[in-house]
Amino acid sequence: MYFSSPKMVCETKIVADERDALPGSEKESITWSGSPPPGAGSSPAEAEDADAGKDALFIREFARGDREEVRRIFYEGIVERIPNTAFRGLGHQPKAQLLYALLTVMCFFMTKSVTLTCCAPLVLLGARYYYSREVIHGYLDSALHTDMADIEAFYLTPTGSCFWVAVLDGRVVGLVAAEGHEDDNTVELRRMSVDSRYRGKGIAKALGRRVLEFAVRNNYTAVVLGTTAVKMAAHKLYESLGFRRTGQSEDYRLPGMSCSPLERLFFQVRYVRYRLQLREE
């Protein structure tokens, strides 16, 4: 398998050729260089190009100075999943719905109190929120002390992996990683997140495409990913990029989970696997 140099920087300029793309250009252009991104001060031509397309989005490799913004965007993107997992996620868990209904009925037969019975669903939802918060914060703690603690060592040093940031108006607004797996010649799309203030502009799709370009260029067989996202928008994004669902698990264990009985009772998550086949194995 051939891999390009990990020091090579790919800057993808996203333009308005699709309904959800960013405004400011007429076509998509990709430039290759070993220098900083446009506007970072390497050459007058690059600076002039950055001024001309100040509203355009550039995707470049992660740099040391991006660390704090990247961690912030990643953290906020995961934390906002807590209420979705606790409340909206219950709609995808029929077994949990049945269990909570039975607990509510048991409450009535044990207490004979209509007031307490009416309060039971609120208590159960409160417990779901509490344990969703505990589990997701545990997952964040695990991530921020593993690959997200040293992005350069985990994603930029190994051959066949990479980490990119999306930059808009000189500000980091999104991130995505690609982790290569030599055992099955696939690359995994990981850590995709976009600053909540810049969503709806096609940034996530642009980041996804960057991973696909990387996979094709490095002769990977397929791109894979797994997600616990509840919002349908995330799943529609992957499908719009060409991914196909290959399976799902109802008892997936997130890193950082203790799997205590109460945690299992009040935290359920659906883990969905996707795959985009690039060529025959």
Side-chain angles (χ1 to χ4, degrees):
M1 175 171 38
Y2 168 74
F3 293 98
S4 60
S5 169
K7 295 183 178 179
M8 181 175 288
V9 178
C10 176
E11 298 154 2
T12 306
K13 186 175 181 180
I14 307 304
V15 292
D17 60 347
E18 292 190 357
R19 176 171 56 86
D20 58 351
L22 291 169
S25 287
E26 296 180 356
K27 63 180 181 178
E28 180 175 282
S29 63
I30 300 176
T31 58
W32 296 90
S33 70
S35 57
S42 187
S43 71
E46 286 179 331
E48 183 178 343
D49 179 68
D51 291 336
K54 62 181 181 179
D55 292 329
L57 175 76
F58 290 91
I59 297 179
R60 60 167 172 79
E61 281 187 11
F62 171 86
R64 188 179 298 272
D66 303 325
R67 184 174 183 272
E68 292 306 314
E69 276 297 281
V70 162
R71 286 169 66 89
R72 178 190 66 80
I73 293 171
F74 175 71
Y75 180 89
E76 292 177 356
I78 297 298
V79 166
E80 71 180 21
R81 292 188 180 187
I82 294 173
N84 283 328
T85 302
F87 306 132
R88 187 181 295 183
L90 183 57
H92 303 293
Q93 302 290 337
K95 291 182 180 179
Q97 294 177 36
L98 178 60
L99 177 59
Y100 296 164
L102 290 175
L103 289 175
T104 302
V105 172
M106 287 176 60
C107 178
F108 176 75
F109 282 107
M110 293 176 66
T111 65
K112 304 300 182 181
S113 170
V114 175
T115 301
L116 290 177
T117 303
C118 291
C119 290
L122 298 178
V123 173
L124 292 171
L125 289 176
R128 280 186 66 89
Y129 182 86
Y130 173 80
Y131 281 99
S132 293
R133 185 179 183 278
E134 290 297 298
V135 170
I136 289 175
H137 275 284
Y139 166 75
L140 271 170
D141 185 66
S142 174
L144 293 175
H145 285 85
T146 52
D147 61 305
M148 296 298 288
D150 193 346
I151 292 170
E152 291 170 303
F154 198 93
Y155 291 108
L156 299 183
T157 300
T159 301
S161 297
C162 200
F163 196 104
W164 299 271
V165 294
V167 180
L168 182 64
D169 292 334
R171 183 186 185 92
V172 174
V173 297
L175 55 123
V176 73
E179 182 182 3
H181 300 292
E182 291 189 5
D183 54 341
D184 59 358
N185 195 30
T186 63
V187 63
E188 182 179 1
L189 186 154
R190 304 189 67 196
R191 305 308 191 199
M192 181 187 285
S193 188
V194 175
D195 191 317
S196 59
R197 295 168 294 180
Y198 296 89
R199 290 175 188 166
K201 299 178 180 291
I203 296 174
K205 182 174 284 190
L207 289 165
R209 286 175 177 164
R210 184 65 197 89
V211 174
L212 302 187
E213 293 167 4
F214 176 82
V216 170
R217 190 175 68 251
N218 289 288
N219 295 321
Y220 280 108
T221 300
V223 182
V224 297
L225 66 89
T227 181
T228 58
V230 175
K231 289 184 177 180
M232 290 305 299
H235 297 275
K236 290 180 179 178
L237 168 66
Y238 301 134
E239 291 170 1
S240 72
L241 288 168
F243 285 90
R244 295 292 176 265
R245 187 176 298 198
T246 59
Q248 67 182 34
S249 173
E250 301 292 343
D251 56 354
Y252 179 72
R253 178 174 177 173
L254 281 174
M257 284 184 67
S258 65
C259 288
S260 65
L262 285 175
E263 194 175 86
R264 287 182 175 274
L265 177 62
F266 294 113
F267 178 83
Q268 298 89 25
V269 66
R270 175 183 292 178
Y271 182 77
V272 182
R273 296 179 295 277
Y274 284 93
R275 183 182 182 95
L276 194 160
Q277 195 70 27
L278 299 174
R279 58 188 177 84
E280 295 300 323
E281 301 183 41

PDB file of all heavy atoms in Angstrom, residues 211-244:
ATOM      1  N   VAL A 211     -11.678  13.268   4.181  1.00  0.00           N
ATOM      2  CA  VAL A 211     -11.270  11.925   4.591  1.00  0.00           C
ATOM      3  C   VAL A 211     -11.370  10.963   3.413  1.00  0.00           C
ATOM      4  O   VAL A 211     -10.491  10.107   3.218  1.00  0.00           O
ATOM      5  CB  VAL A 211     -12.131  11.441   5.770  1.00  0.00           C
ATOM      6  CG1 VAL A 211     -11.814   9.990   6.113  1.00  0.00           C
ATOM      7  CG2 VAL A 211     -11.916  12.329   6.983  1.00  0.00           C
ATOM      8  N   LEU A 212     -12.410  11.094   2.604  1.00  0.00           N
ATOM      9  CA  LEU A 212     -12.568  10.223   1.441  1.00  0.00           C
ATOM     10  C   LEU A 212     -11.435  10.446   0.438  1.00  0.00           C
ATOM     11  O   LEU A 212     -10.903   9.491  -0.131  1.00  0.00           O
ATOM     12  CB  LEU A 212     -13.921  10.475   0.767  1.00  0.00           C
ATOM     13  CG  LEU A 212     -15.166  10.282   1.638  1.00  0.00           C
ATOM     14  CD1 LEU A 212     -16.425  10.388   0.788  1.00  0.00           C
ATOM     15  CD2 LEU A 212     -15.131   8.956   2.364  1.00  0.00           C
ATOM     16  N   GLU A 213     -11.060  11.705   0.214  1.00  0.00           N
ATOM     17  CA  GLU A 213      -9.934  12.003  -0.684  1.00  0.00           C
ATOM     18  C   GLU A 213      -8.657  11.350  -0.172  1.00  0.00           C
ATOM     19  O   GLU A 213      -7.874  10.785  -0.936  1.00  0.00           O
ATOM     20  CB  GLU A 213      -9.742  13.511  -0.788  1.00  0.00           C
ATOM     21  CG  GLU A 213     -10.869  14.257  -1.483  1.00  0.00           C
ATOM     22  CD  GLU A 213     -10.769  15.758  -1.287  1.00  0.00           C
ATOM     23  OE1 GLU A 213      -9.778  16.213  -0.673  1.00  0.00           O
ATOM     24  OE2 GLU A 213     -11.677  16.479  -1.736  1.00  0.00           O
ATOM     25  N   PHE A 214      -8.442  11.448   1.137  1.00  0.00           N
ATOM     26  CA  PHE A 214      -7.259  10.863   1.761  1.00  0.00           C
ATOM     27  C   PHE A 214      -7.244   9.346   1.569  1.00  0.00           C
ATOM     28  O   PHE A 214      -6.208   8.752   1.253  1.00  0.00           O
ATOM     29  CB  PHE A 214      -7.268  11.219   3.249  1.00  0.00           C
ATOM     30  CG  PHE A 214      -6.152  10.609   4.046  1.00  0.00           C
ATOM     31  CD1 PHE A 214      -4.899  11.193   4.064  1.00  0.00           C
ATOM     32  CD2 PHE A 214      -6.359   9.461   4.810  1.00  0.00           C
ATOM     33  CE1 PHE A 214      -3.870  10.634   4.810  1.00  0.00           C
ATOM     34  CE2 PHE A 214      -5.347   8.910   5.560  1.00  0.00           C
ATOM     35  CZ  PHE A 214      -4.088   9.494   5.558  1.00  0.00           C
ATOM     36  N   ALA A 215      -8.399   8.723   1.741  1.00  0.00           N
ATOM     37  CA  ALA A 215      -8.490   7.270   1.596  1.00  0.00           C
ATOM     38  C   ALA A 215      -8.202   6.835   0.168  1.00  0.00           C
ATOM     39  O   ALA A 215      -7.486   5.852  -0.057  1.00  0.00           O
ATOM     40  CB  ALA A 215      -9.876   6.803   2.023  1.00  0.00           C
ATOM     41  N   VAL A 216      -8.744   7.564  -0.802  1.00  0.00           N
ATOM     42  CA  VAL A 216      -8.514   7.223  -2.209  1.00  0.00           C
ATOM     43  C   VAL A 216      -7.047   7.404  -2.563  1.00  0.00           C
ATOM     44  O   VAL A 216      -6.434   6.541  -3.214  1.00  0.00           O
ATOM     45  CB  VAL A 216      -9.404   8.088  -3.127  1.00  0.00           C
ATOM     46  CG1 VAL A 216      -8.996   7.922  -4.582  1.00  0.00           C
ATOM     47  CG2 VAL A 216     -10.870   7.723  -2.939  1.00  0.00           C
ATOM     48  N   ARG A 217      -6.480   8.513  -2.128  1.00  0.00           N
ATOM     49  CA  ARG A 217      -5.092   8.810  -2.466  1.00  0.00           C
ATOM     50  C   ARG A 217      -4.126   7.786  -1.875  1.00  0.00           C
ATOM     51  O   ARG A 217      -3.070   7.512  -2.441  1.00  0.00           O
ATOM     52  CB  ARG A 217      -4.729  10.216  -1.972  1.00  0.00           C
ATOM     53  CG  ARG A 217      -3.385  10.720  -2.491  1.00  0.00           C
ATOM     54  CD  ARG A 217      -3.119  12.162  -2.086  1.00  0.00           C
ATOM     55  NE  ARG A 217      -2.906  12.289  -0.654  1.00  0.00           N
ATOM     56  CZ  ARG A 217      -3.754  12.846   0.192  1.00  0.00           C
ATOM     57  NH1 ARG A 217      -4.905  13.314  -0.246  1.00  0.00           N
ATOM     58  NH2 ARG A 217      -3.476  12.943   1.481  1.00  0.00           N
ATOM     59  N   ASN A 218      -4.492   7.225  -0.732  1.00  0.00           N
ATOM     60  CA  ASN A 218      -3.616   6.267  -0.075  1.00  0.00           C
ATOM     61  C   ASN A 218      -4.023   4.816  -0.311  1.00  0.00           C
ATOM     62  O   ASN A 218      -3.576   3.914   0.395  1.00  0.00           O
ATOM     63  CB  ASN A 218      -3.572   6.560   1.425  1.00  0.00           C
ATOM     64  CG  ASN A 218      -2.801   7.824   1.726  1.00  0.00           C
ATOM     65  OD1 ASN A 218      -1.581   7.867   1.612  1.00  0.00           O
ATOM     66  ND2 ASN A 218      -3.514   8.882   2.100  1.00  0.00           N
ATOM     67  N   ASN A 219      -4.883   4.603  -1.311  1.00  0.00           N
ATOM     68  CA  ASN A 219      -5.232   3.259  -1.769  1.00  0.00           C
ATOM     69  C   ASN A 219      -5.886   2.382  -0.709  1.00  0.00           C
ATOM     70  O   ASN A 219      -5.683   1.165  -0.669  1.00  0.00           O
ATOM     71  CB  ASN A 219      -3.987   2.542  -2.318  1.00  0.00           C
ATOM     72  CG  ASN A 219      -3.449   3.225  -3.555  1.00  0.00           C
ATOM     73  OD1 ASN A 219      -4.205   3.676  -4.403  1.00  0.00           O
ATOM     74  ND2 ASN A 219      -2.131   3.334  -3.643  1.00  0.00           N
ATOM     75  N   TYR A 220      -6.705   2.986   0.134  1.00  0.00           N
ATOM     76  CA  TYR A 220      -7.459   2.189   1.082  1.00  0.00           C
ATOM     77  C   TYR A 220      -8.634   1.524   0.369  1.00  0.00           C
ATOM     78  O   TYR A 220      -9.177   2.051  -0.597  1.00  0.00           O
ATOM     79  CB  TYR A 220      -7.983   3.059   2.226  1.00  0.00           C
ATOM     80  CG  TYR A 220      -6.947   3.355   3.284  1.00  0.00           C
ATOM     81  CD1 TYR A 220      -6.397   4.626   3.414  1.00  0.00           C
ATOM     82  CD2 TYR A 220      -6.530   2.364   4.158  1.00  0.00           C
ATOM     83  CE1 TYR A 220      -5.450   4.904   4.394  1.00  0.00           C
ATOM     84  CE2 TYR A 220      -5.585   2.626   5.136  1.00  0.00           C
ATOM     85  CZ  TYR A 220      -5.047   3.886   5.252  1.00  0.00           C
ATOM     86  OH  TYR A 220      -4.104   4.140   6.216  1.00  0.00           O
ATOM     87  N   THR A 221      -9.041   0.380   0.899  1.00  0.00           N
ATOM     88  CA  THR A 221     -10.153  -0.360   0.306  1.00  0.00           C
ATOM     89  C   THR A 221     -11.498   0.276   0.638  1.00  0.00           C
ATOM     90  O   THR A 221     -12.404   0.301  -0.185  1.00  0.00           O
ATOM     91  CB  THR A 221     -10.146  -1.819   0.796  1.00  0.00           C
ATOM     92  OG1 THR A 221      -8.902  -2.435   0.413  1.00  0.00           O
ATOM     93  CG2 THR A 221     -11.299  -2.603   0.206  1.00  0.00           C
ATOM     94  N   ALA A 222     -11.623   0.779   1.877  1.00  0.00           N
ATOM     95  CA  ALA A 222     -12.911   1.323   2.314  1.00  0.00           C
ATOM     96  C   ALA A 222     -12.695   2.321   3.438  1.00  0.00           C
ATOM     97  O   ALA A 222     -11.643   2.357   4.084  1.00  0.00           O
ATOM     98  CB  ALA A 222     -13.838   0.202   2.774  1.00  0.00           C
ATOM     99  N   VAL A 223     -13.731   3.132   3.655  1.00  0.00           N
ATOM    100  CA  VAL A 223     -13.768   4.050   4.791  1.00  0.00           C
ATOM    101  C   VAL A 223     -14.880   3.569   5.713  1.00  0.00           C
ATOM    102  O   VAL A 223     -15.986   3.269   5.247  1.00  0.00           O
ATOM    103  CB  VAL A 223     -14.045   5.496   4.348  1.00  0.00           C
ATOM    104  CG1 VAL A 223     -14.021   6.443   5.550  1.00  0.00           C
ATOM    105  CG2 VAL A 223     -13.033   5.945   3.297  1.00  0.00           C
ATOM    106  N   VAL A 224     -14.597   3.469   7.002  1.00  0.00           N
ATOM    107  CA  VAL A 224     -15.585   2.989   7.960  1.00  0.00           C
ATOM    108  C   VAL A 224     -15.755   4.015   9.075  1.00  0.00           C
ATOM    109  O   VAL A 224     -14.890   4.869   9.297  1.00  0.00           O
ATOM    110  CB  VAL A 224     -15.166   1.633   8.569  1.00  0.00           C
ATOM    111  CG1 VAL A 224     -15.080   0.560   7.501  1.00  0.00           C
ATOM    112  CG2 VAL A 224     -13.832   1.761   9.309  1.00  0.00           C
ATOM    113  N   LEU A 225     -16.874   3.919   9.761  1.00  0.00           N
ATOM    114  CA  LEU A 225     -17.106   4.779  10.925  1.00  0.00           C
ATOM    115  C   LEU A 225     -18.175   4.156  11.792  1.00  0.00           C
ATOM    116  O   LEU A 225     -18.968   3.321  11.344  1.00  0.00           O
ATOM    117  CB  LEU A 225     -17.503   6.197  10.507  1.00  0.00           C
ATOM    118  CG  LEU A 225     -18.840   6.417   9.795  1.00  0.00           C
ATOM    119  CD1 LEU A 225     -19.975   6.658  10.807  1.00  0.00           C
ATOM    120  CD2 LEU A 225     -18.770   7.612   8.850  1.00  0.00           C
ATOM    121  N   GLY A 226     -18.200   4.581  13.044  1.00  0.00           N
ATOM    122  CA  GLY A 226     -19.245   4.177  13.965  1.00  0.00           C
ATOM    123  C   GLY A 226     -19.746   5.399  14.697  1.00  0.00           C
ATOM    124  O   GLY A 226     -18.963   6.306  15.006  1.00  0.00           O
ATOM    125  N   THR A 227     -21.044   5.479  14.957  1.00  0.00           N
ATOM    126  CA  THR A 227     -21.600   6.660  15.612  1.00  0.00           C
ATOM    127  C   THR A 227     -22.716   6.280  16.576  1.00  0.00           C
ATOM    128  O   THR A 227     -23.447   5.322  16.342  1.00  0.00           O
ATOM    129  CB  THR A 227     -22.139   7.661  14.566  1.00  0.00           C
ATOM    130  OG1 THR A 227     -22.654   8.816  15.240  1.00  0.00           O
ATOM    131  CG2 THR A 227     -23.239   7.050  13.721  1.00  0.00           C
ATOM    132  N   THR A 228     -22.823   7.050  17.662  1.00  0.00           N
ATOM    133  CA  THR A 228     -23.924   6.909  18.605  1.00  0.00           C
ATOM    134  C   THR A 228     -24.853   8.114  18.502  1.00  0.00           C
ATOM    135  O   THR A 228     -25.697   8.321  19.378  1.00  0.00           O
ATOM    136  CB  THR A 228     -23.398   6.795  20.050  1.00  0.00           C
ATOM    137  OG1 THR A 228     -22.622   7.965  20.361  1.00  0.00           O
ATOM    138  CG2 THR A 228     -22.533   5.554  20.221  1.00  0.00           C
ATOM    139  N   ALA A 229     -24.691   8.920  17.466  1.00  0.00           N
ATOM    140  CA  ALA A 229     -25.500  10.129  17.298  1.00  0.00           C
ATOM    141  C   ALA A 229     -26.982   9.780  17.225  1.00  0.00           C
ATOM    142  O   ALA A 229     -27.379   8.827  16.547  1.00  0.00           O
ATOM    143  CB  ALA A 229     -25.076  10.889  16.046  1.00  0.00           C
ATOM    144  N   VAL A 230     -27.800  10.561  17.921  1.00  0.00           N
ATOM    145  CA  VAL A 230     -29.243  10.356  17.918  1.00  0.00           C
ATOM    146  C   VAL A 230     -29.896  11.147  16.794  1.00  0.00           C
ATOM    147  O   VAL A 230     -30.834  10.681  16.154  1.00  0.00           O
ATOM    148  CB  VAL A 230     -29.846  10.757  19.282  1.00  0.00           C
ATOM    149  CG1 VAL A 230     -31.367  10.658  19.249  1.00  0.00           C
ATOM    150  CG2 VAL A 230     -29.274   9.886  20.399  1.00  0.00           C
ATOM    151  N   LYS A 231     -29.391  12.342  16.537  1.00  0.00           N
ATOM    152  CA  LYS A 231     -29.985  13.199  15.514  1.00  0.00           C
ATOM    153  C   LYS A 231     -29.882  12.561  14.133  1.00  0.00           C
ATOM    154  O   LYS A 231     -28.821  12.068  13.737  1.00  0.00           O
ATOM    155  CB  LYS A 231     -29.285  14.563  15.488  1.00  0.00           C
ATOM    156  CG  LYS A 231     -29.593  15.438  16.691  1.00  0.00           C
ATOM    157  CD  LYS A 231     -28.943  16.798  16.534  1.00  0.00           C
ATOM    158  CE  LYS A 231     -29.298  17.726  17.686  1.00  0.00           C
ATOM    159  NZ  LYS A 231     -28.658  19.050  17.533  1.00  0.00           N
ATOM    160  N   MET A 232     -30.976  12.581  13.396  1.00  0.00           N
ATOM    161  CA  MET A 232     -30.997  12.008  12.060  1.00  0.00           C
ATOM    162  C   MET A 232     -30.109  12.772  11.096  1.00  0.00           C
ATOM    163  O   MET A 232     -29.653  12.225  10.097  1.00  0.00           O
ATOM    164  CB  MET A 232     -32.433  11.985  11.528  1.00  0.00           C
ATOM    165  CG  MET A 232     -33.334  10.978  12.228  1.00  0.00           C
ATOM    166  SD  MET A 232     -32.647   9.296  12.187  1.00  0.00           S
ATOM    167  CE  MET A 232     -32.572   9.008  10.416  1.00  0.00           C
ATOM    168  N   ALA A 233     -29.837  14.055  11.388  1.00  0.00           N
ATOM    169  CA  ALA A 233     -28.999  14.864  10.506  1.00  0.00           C
ATOM    170  C   ALA A 233     -27.617  14.246  10.335  1.00  0.00           C
ATOM    171  O   ALA A 233     -27.043  14.275   9.235  1.00  0.00           O
ATOM    172  CB  ALA A 233     -28.883  16.285  11.045  1.00  0.00           C
ATOM    173  N   ALA A 234     -27.081  13.680  11.407  1.00  0.00           N
ATOM    174  CA  ALA A 234     -25.757  13.054  11.330  1.00  0.00           C
ATOM    175  C   ALA A 234     -25.787  11.845  10.408  1.00  0.00           C
ATOM    176  O   ALA A 234     -24.891  11.653   9.575  1.00  0.00           O
ATOM    177  CB  ALA A 234     -25.287  12.648  12.718  1.00  0.00           C
ATOM    178  N   HIS A 235     -26.827  11.034  10.519  1.00  0.00           N
ATOM    179  CA  HIS A 235     -26.931   9.836   9.690  1.00  0.00           C
ATOM    180  C   HIS A 235     -27.168  10.218   8.219  1.00  0.00           C
ATOM    181  O   HIS A 235     -26.630   9.584   7.308  1.00  0.00           O
ATOM    182  CB  HIS A 235     -28.054   8.948  10.212  1.00  0.00           C
ATOM    183  CG  HIS A 235     -27.806   8.453  11.607  1.00  0.00           C
ATOM    184  ND1 HIS A 235     -27.050   7.331  11.877  1.00  0.00           N
ATOM    185  CD2 HIS A 235     -28.197   8.945  12.820  1.00  0.00           C
ATOM    186  CE1 HIS A 235     -26.996   7.137  13.188  1.00  0.00           C
ATOM    187  NE2 HIS A 235     -27.684   8.112  13.779  1.00  0.00           N
ATOM    188  N   LYS A 236     -27.962  11.249   7.989  1.00  0.00           N
ATOM    189  CA  LYS A 236     -28.200  11.710   6.619  1.00  0.00           C
ATOM    190  C   LYS A 236     -26.915  12.242   5.993  1.00  0.00           C
ATOM    191  O   LYS A 236     -26.685  12.100   4.792  1.00  0.00           O
ATOM    192  CB  LYS A 236     -29.290  12.779   6.600  1.00  0.00           C
ATOM    193  CG  LYS A 236     -30.685  12.234   6.901  1.00  0.00           C
ATOM    194  CD  LYS A 236     -31.727  13.338   6.863  1.00  0.00           C
ATOM    195  CE  LYS A 236     -33.116  12.779   7.136  1.00  0.00           C
ATOM    196  NZ  LYS A 236     -34.150  13.862   7.139  1.00  0.00           N
ATOM    197  N   LEU A 237     -26.073  12.875   6.819  1.00  0.00           N
ATOM    198  CA  LEU A 237     -24.792  13.374   6.315  1.00  0.00           C
ATOM    199  C   LEU A 237     -23.937  12.225   5.802  1.00  0.00           C
ATOM    200  O   LEU A 237     -23.409  12.284   4.686  1.00  0.00           O
ATOM    201  CB  LEU A 237     -24.049  14.117   7.426  1.00  0.00           C
ATOM    202  CG  LEU A 237     -22.579  14.436   7.140  1.00  0.00           C
ATOM    203  CD1 LEU A 237     -22.457  15.428   5.985  1.00  0.00           C
ATOM    204  CD2 LEU A 237     -21.891  14.973   8.388  1.00  0.00           C
ATOM    205  N   TYR A 238     -23.800  11.166   6.605  1.00  0.00           N
ATOM    206  CA  TYR A 238     -22.975  10.032   6.185  1.00  0.00           C
ATOM    207  C   TYR A 238     -23.540   9.377   4.927  1.00  0.00           C
ATOM    208  O   TYR A 238     -22.779   9.002   4.021  1.00  0.00           O
ATOM    209  CB  TYR A 238     -22.875   9.008   7.320  1.00  0.00           C
ATOM    210  CG  TYR A 238     -22.277   9.567   8.584  1.00  0.00           C
ATOM    211  CD1 TYR A 238     -22.854   9.316   9.830  1.00  0.00           C
ATOM    212  CD2 TYR A 238     -21.141  10.370   8.546  1.00  0.00           C
ATOM    213  CE1 TYR A 238     -22.311   9.839  10.995  1.00  0.00           C
ATOM    214  CE2 TYR A 238     -20.589  10.896   9.703  1.00  0.00           C
ATOM    215  CZ  TYR A 238     -21.187  10.633  10.916  1.00  0.00           C
ATOM    216  OH  TYR A 238     -20.658  11.155  12.065  1.00  0.00           O
ATOM    217  N   GLU A 239     -24.848   9.253   4.867  1.00  0.00           N
ATOM    218  CA  GLU A 239     -25.463   8.643   3.691  1.00  0.00           C
ATOM    219  C   GLU A 239     -25.272   9.521   2.457  1.00  0.00           C
ATOM    220  O   GLU A 239     -25.096   9.013   1.348  1.00  0.00           O
ATOM    221  CB  GLU A 239     -26.946   8.397   3.966  1.00  0.00           C
ATOM    222  CG  GLU A 239     -27.178   7.300   5.006  1.00  0.00           C
ATOM    223  CD  GLU A 239     -28.621   7.218   5.471  1.00  0.00           C
ATOM    224  OE1 GLU A 239     -29.447   8.020   4.967  1.00  0.00           O
ATOM    225  OE2 GLU A 239     -28.926   6.368   6.336  1.00  0.00           O
ATOM    226  N   SER A 240     -25.287  10.850   2.634  1.00  0.00           N
ATOM    227  CA  SER A 240     -25.087  11.748   1.496  1.00  0.00           C
ATOM    228  C   SER A 240     -23.662  11.664   0.955  1.00  0.00           C
ATOM    229  O   SER A 240     -23.412  11.971  -0.212  1.00  0.00           O
ATOM    230  CB  SER A 240     -25.395  13.192   1.897  1.00  0.00           C
ATOM    231  OG  SER A 240     -24.398  13.721   2.759  1.00  0.00           O
ATOM    232  N   LEU A 241     -22.728  11.230   1.811  1.00  0.00           N
ATOM    233  CA  LEU A 241     -21.336  11.068   1.379  1.00  0.00           C
ATOM    234  C   LEU A 241     -21.109   9.713   0.708  1.00  0.00           C
ATOM    235  O   LEU A 241     -20.030   9.469   0.172  1.00  0.00           O
ATOM    236  CB  LEU A 241     -20.396  11.205   2.581  1.00  0.00           C
ATOM    237  CG  LEU A 241     -20.228  12.618   3.153  1.00  0.00           C
ATOM    238  CD1 LEU A 241     -19.524  12.570   4.501  1.00  0.00           C
ATOM    239  CD2 LEU A 241     -19.451  13.499   2.178  1.00  0.00           C
ATOM    240  N   GLY A 242     -22.111   8.848   0.756  1.00  0.00           N
ATOM    241  CA  GLY A 242     -22.001   7.547   0.109  1.00  0.00           C
ATOM    242  C   GLY A 242     -21.875   6.371   1.052  1.00  0.00           C
ATOM    243  O   GLY A 242     -21.780   5.223   0.605  1.00  0.00           O
ATOM    244  N   PHE A 243     -21.891   6.618   2.350  1.00  0.00           N
ATOM    245  CA  PHE A 243     -21.782   5.525   3.317  1.00  0.00           C
ATOM    246  C   PHE A 243     -23.071   4.714   3.350  1.00  0.00           C
ATOM    247  O   PHE A 243     -24.162   5.247   3.143  1.00  0.00           O
ATOM    248  CB  PHE A 243     -21.502   6.081   4.720  1.00  0.00           C
ATOM    249  CG  PHE A 243     -20.098   6.563   4.929  1.00  0.00           C
ATOM    250  CD1 PHE A 243     -19.752   7.881   4.663  1.00  0.00           C
ATOM    251  CD2 PHE A 243     -19.121   5.696   5.387  1.00  0.00           C
ATOM    252  CE1 PHE A 243     -18.468   8.332   4.850  1.00  0.00           C
ATOM    253  CE2 PHE A 243     -17.820   6.136   5.584  1.00  0.00           C
ATOM    254  CZ  PHE A 243     -17.487   7.465   5.310  1.00  0.00           C
ATOM    255  N   ARG A 244     -22.925   3.429   3.645  1.00  0.00           N
ATOM    256  CA  ARG A 244     -24.067   2.545   3.795  1.00  0.00           C
ATOM    257  C   ARG A 244     -24.014   1.883   5.163  1.00  0.00           C
ATOM    258  O   ARG A 244     -22.954   1.466   5.621  1.00  0.00           O
ATOM    259  CB  ARG A 244     -24.066   1.472   2.686  1.00  0.00           C
ATOM    260  CG  ARG A 244     -24.253   2.047   1.296  1.00  0.00           C
ATOM    261  CD  ARG A 244     -25.646   2.619   1.113  1.00  0.00           C
ATOM    262  NE  ARG A 244     -25.829   3.260  -0.185  1.00  0.00           N
ATOM    263  CZ  ARG A 244     -25.690   4.554  -0.415  1.00  0.00           C
ATOM    264  NH1 ARG A 244     -25.336   5.362   0.582  1.00  0.00           N
ATOM    265  NH2 ARG A 244     -25.875   5.063  -1.610  1.00  0.00           N
TER     266      ARG A 244
END
